[in-house]
Amino acid sequence: MAEIRLENISYVYSEGTPFEISALDDINVTIKNGSVTGIIGHTGSGKSTLVQMLNGLVKPARGKVMLDGKDIWENPKEIGKIRFRVGLVMQYPEYQLFEETIRADIAFGPKNMGLDSKEIEERVLEAADFVGLDRDLLEKSPFDLSGGQKRRAAIAGIIAMRPEVLVLDEPAAGLDPSGREMIMQSIMNYKKRTGATVVIVSHSMEDMARYCDYLIVLADGKLLMTGKKDEVFGRADELTAVGLDVPQITTMMNLLAGMGIPVNTAVYTIDDALNQIYKLL
Amino acid sequence: MKNISLGQYYPGNSVIHRMDPRMKLILSLLYIVCSFLCRNIISFGLLFVSAIVLILLSRIPMSLIMRSIRPILFILAFTVVINIFWTSGETLLFEWKFIHIYLEGVMNAVFMVLRIFVLIVGASLFLTYTTTPIALTDAIEQLFAPLKRIKVPVHEFAMMMTIALRFIPTLIDETDKIMSAQKARGADFTSGSLINRAKALIPILIPLFVSSFRRADELATAMECRCYHGGEGRTRMSILHYRALDFIAILIMITFGVSLVLLNMLGIGYTM
């Protein structure tokens, strides 16, 4: 539904003071319509700044953010509308829950969009379904929920705005494996049913390999590489050089290939790896 | 939010930076007393010179000092107006209808402005600019230590101050994050009526309160894990020592105060 193109994006913290830090430096990248794009990079590489630019929370010092070919900063007063089209789930979003009930909290976004109460109700239920929150949880206080449930409620708060682009900054950080799984499934669910573009920031190469089509790799505020998942993970040496990694199973396949065993190294899940190995037997 | 300047410590290694924080606390109090000792033009002149000397000694850029003056400019202007128009004296300078301006009024206005200026400069030079907040709470704790005899929990108060100061940047950060998160959901903090804007703060304040309590709880647990039990029998890692510099400084300050009193007696010009 929507394509985002970043043109020559730069961002500098505390510009003009001795504490000047360049957070992003001349980034050019396109997030394709309907794709799942992953952003990877080590801590402090500018990932969070970049995703906050996608919905206009941070204004680039130089360069343009184009949403469907239109500069989002063309009319700064209308930036609020961009935020409904590009939904951003920040890190640890459960800390922003504030209403008395989960229902009211999920309704906060749609209410700000000025929708009528029937539409809001409908969207709240729909969003709750997407993230797999039971209906009876909707009447509970955010403080009565578990960590994973709170996280999903917070994501539902963004999904309820039905954004064309759903951006998530480390959506699964700090959750147990089943919690991670549920979060990622909710996101994929939303993507599948609405065709939205999804952008995910994550440190888990396994998740990235599993869910993403395209990857953007940042290192020290610069665009290190971008392209299809295979292309990026195919350059394992460059990734490890900047402190990143490929999925463990891919590392193993690379080692096998290095030993002269004829395996395809573009393998990211254990099942695929198994198939490859079975073929050899 | 990032540009809120709290705790304006300016790193440096000047004479004033090197003084013992306890002494600086005492000196700033004495300096404030000194500014109230001044009565005539000569003693005020000396006071002004002393403020300039202090600024030079501390090597704090003038622009920074001016920034600390800016918030009180209104108070200064107000003082000037009140003093000029409402002081009656003997030497009439200007008269128009109901407005009478006397020399005494003008002098009073100048003196008051000088006094407030020196007050702010003195306190900020000795305390906020050259002393880290942590050193300052340390100094307060030790200066008030005798109050422990009458069961005042001095250490606990100092610890609370230290913790509060420590968490100001964290809270600013947190506020920033929560504001961004709510903005991402379409919250608008900048337009609408006053009531609407106040209401728009609820989505920030509630998460902020919740996280502050959570943080406080975590900190308390962390402190207990390290066997913190309050001030009783607690030794310090850095022990403050008065040095020659500190004694010289306080001698100079006392001499300064005495000379101000003596200069007042000269009786030159208008005496406040």
Side-chain angles (χ1 to χ4, degrees), chain A:
Chain A
M1 280 199 290
E3 178 182 89
I4 297 184
R5 205 164 71 241
L6 302 178
E7 294 179 354
N8 311 91
I9 292 288
S10 295
Y11 190 75
V12 185
Y13 279 111
S14 320
E15 190 158 23
T17 71
F19 310 106
E20 192 174 294
I21 306 165
S22 169
L24 289 173
D25 189 14
D26 200 28
I27 305 281
N28 280 292
V29 75
T30 304
I31 295 164
K32 290 201 174 57
N33 182 12
S35 69
V36 179
T37 301
I39 302 180
I40 53 181
H42 58 84
T43 313
S45 61
K47 298 177 305 235
S48 293
T49 313
L50 188 75
V51 292
Q52 289 187 43
M53 280 181 180
L54 300 180
N55 76 339
L57 275 178
V58 173
K59 192 177 179 187
R62 274 171 296 280
K64 281 182 186 163
V65 182
M66 312 289 278
L67 178 63
D68 278 340
K70 260 187 87 181
D71 185 359
I72 64 167
W73 286 100
E74 198 176 84
N75 186 356
K77 281 194 181 134
E78 298 285 291
I79 196 72
K81 291 198 177 131
I82 300 294
R83 295 188 186 137
F84 298 129
R85 293 181 61 196
V86 182
L88 170 65
V89 179
M90 310 247 300
Q91 274 176 43
Y92 297 101
E94 59 271 30
Y95 293 144
Q96 43 170 283
L97 300 174
F98 69 98
E99 286 280 11
E100 281 171 60
T101 64
I102 293 295
R103 178 190 295 275
D105 209 282
I106 298 177
F108 182 65
K111 216 183 269 172
N112 286 329
M113 293 169 85
L115 302 172
D116 61 64
S117 56
K118 200 169 144 266
E119 172 90 21
I120 292 176
E121 177 65 19
E122 195 181 299
R123 286 187 175 211
V124 169
L125 294 179
E126 183 198 75
D129 285 344
F130 272 130
V131 299
L133 279 180
D134 290 335
R135 293 274 158 101
D136 54 316
L137 285 179
L138 289 181
E139 304 311 324
K140 287 203 171 169
S141 155
F143 305 113
D144 295 335
L145 267 59
S146 74
Q149 287 171 330
K150 272 194 247 181
R151 181 77 59 91
R152 280 183 280 142
I155 294 176
I158 301 291
I159 285 181
M161 304 191 304
R162 287 195 193 146
E164 297 160 49
V165 183
L166 182 62
V167 186
L168 303 109
D169 193 351
E170 300 198 34
L175 294 181
D176 57 40
S178 72
R180 292 182 81 88
E181 179 70 25
M182 283 187 96
I183 296 276
M184 296 311 287
Q185 285 308 331
S186 322
I187 298 164
M188 289 307 132
N189 226 345
Y190 178 72
K191 191 220 141 31
K192 215 180 286 167
R193 284 216 244 141
T194 61
T197 309
V198 174
V199 180
I200 304 174
V201 175
S202 176
H203 282 295
S204 159
M205 296 303 149
E206 272 70 26
D207 283 354
M208 289 310 217
R210 209 166 136 198
Y211 299 107
C212 297
D213 313 318
Y214 294 90
L215 288 176
I216 295 170
V217 186
L218 295 179
D220 291 323
K222 290 191 179 64
L223 183 70
L224 187 70
M225 51 179 114
T226 176
K228 288 211 168 118
K229 161 170 74 182
D230 295 354
E231 295 164 17
V232 170
F233 282 144
R235 294 157 74 179
D237 295 346
E238 285 167 75
L239 286 175
T240 41
V242 293
L244 294 170
D245 223 336
V246 295
Q248 282 179 359
I249 197 73
T250 315
T251 310
M252 195 192 90
M253 296 308 264
N254 281 335
L255 284 174
L256 287 178
M259 288 161 70
I261 300 165
V263 287
N264 179 4
T265 52
V267 160
Y268 311 109
T269 61
I270 294 180
D271 288 339
D272 289 349
L274 270 179
N275 286 334
Q276 284 279 325
I277 292 168
Y278 281 143
K279 263 189 242 163
L280 292 174
L281 296 175

Side-chain angles (χ1 to χ4, degrees), chain B:
Chain B
M1 291 295 280
K2 288 263 150 60
N3 48 25
I4 295 181
S5 54
L6 286 155
Q8 300 164 305
Y9 178 66
Y10 184 85
N13 194 26
S14 72
V15 184
I16 301 186
H17 281 87
R18 285 194 308 256
M19 280 183 204
D20 186 293
R22 289 170 296 179
M23 191 53 89
K24 282 194 266 192
L25 203 63
I26 297 168
L27 285 175
S28 67
L29 286 177
L30 286 180
Y31 196 57
I32 289 167
V33 171
C34 282
S35 73
F36 282 96
L37 288 177
C38 298
R39 287 262 172 279
N40 66 10
I41 193 154
I42 296 176
S43 51
F44 266 110
L46 185 64
L47 186 71
F48 184 68
V49 170
S50 74
I52 299 296
V53 170
L54 277 178
I55 294 174
L56 292 178
L57 274 181
S58 70
R59 303 218 194 102
I60 308 276
M62 204 57 204
S63 59
L64 210 61
I65 308 268
M66 282 303 140
R67 209 184 302 163
S68 71
I69 300 290
R70 208 180 299 150
I72 57 152
L73 274 183
F74 173 75
I75 299 175
L76 285 181
F78 191 69
T79 319
V80 168
V81 171
I82 294 276
N83 275 295
I84 288 188
F85 292 106
W86 273 272
T87 311
S88 50
E90 286 155 10
T91 336
L92 194 62
L93 287 180
F94 179 82
E95 192 175 21
W96 181 73
K97 290 189 181 163
F98 56 93
I99 297 174
H100 305 271
I101 294 177
Y102 296 91
L103 177 67
E104 287 80 1
V106 176
M107 293 302 274
N108 270 354
V110 172
F111 287 171
M112 283 310 287
V113 165
L114 260 176
R115 186 172 281 167
I116 296 173
F117 171 78
V118 167
L119 222 75
I120 298 292
V121 169
S124 50
L125 270 189
F126 279 120
L127 302 176
T128 49
Y129 283 135
T130 62
T131 319
T132 59
I134 298 299
L136 203 59
T137 45
D138 247 17
I140 291 171
E141 177 178 352
Q142 293 193 31
L143 280 178
F144 287 98
L147 291 182
K148 278 182 191 160
R149 296 243 174 97
I150 53 166
K151 303 258 174 194
V152 179
V154 177
H155 169 81
E156 281 69 16
F157 279 131
M159 183 53 100
M160 283 195 279
M161 265 176 79
T162 312
I163 291 173
L165 288 169
R166 154 68 184 79
F167 277 98
I168 288 172
T170 315
L171 276 181
I172 291 176
D173 241 33
E174 185 93 18
T175 314
D176 231 22
K177 270 190 205 149
I178 295 171
M179 274 178 87
S180 295
Q182 307 300 20
K183 270 197 225 159
R185 296 206 276 167
D188 183 7
F189 308 116
T190 49
S191 61
S193 67
L194 203 61
I195 293 175
N196 278 338
R197 276 195 222 185
K199 270 190 189 158
L201 289 179
I202 294 175
I204 302 174
L205 291 180
I206 290 179
L208 201 57
F209 267 109
V210 172
S211 72
S212 306
F213 280 119
R214 182 173 42 84
R215 235 184 263 287
D217 204 41
E218 281 168 7
L219 181 69
T221 313
M223 284 169 82
E224 271 186 43
C225 286
R226 294 201 259 168
C227 305
Y228 177 78
H229 58 82
E232 208 56 47
R234 192 176 164 81
T235 54
R236 9 191 83 255
M237 190 167 94
S238 56
I239 297 165
L240 297 173
H241 292 290
Y242 289 116
R243 285 173 308 153
L245 175 68
D246 301 302
F247 292 111
I248 295 169
I250 195 149
L251 268 179
I252 294 175
M253 189 59 83
I254 291 168
T255 322
F256 178 65
V258 172
S259 43
L260 286 179
V261 174
L262 292 177
L263 284 172
N264 283 336
M265 291 175 185
L266 281 178
I268 296 169
Y270 167 71
T271 306
M272 198 171 168

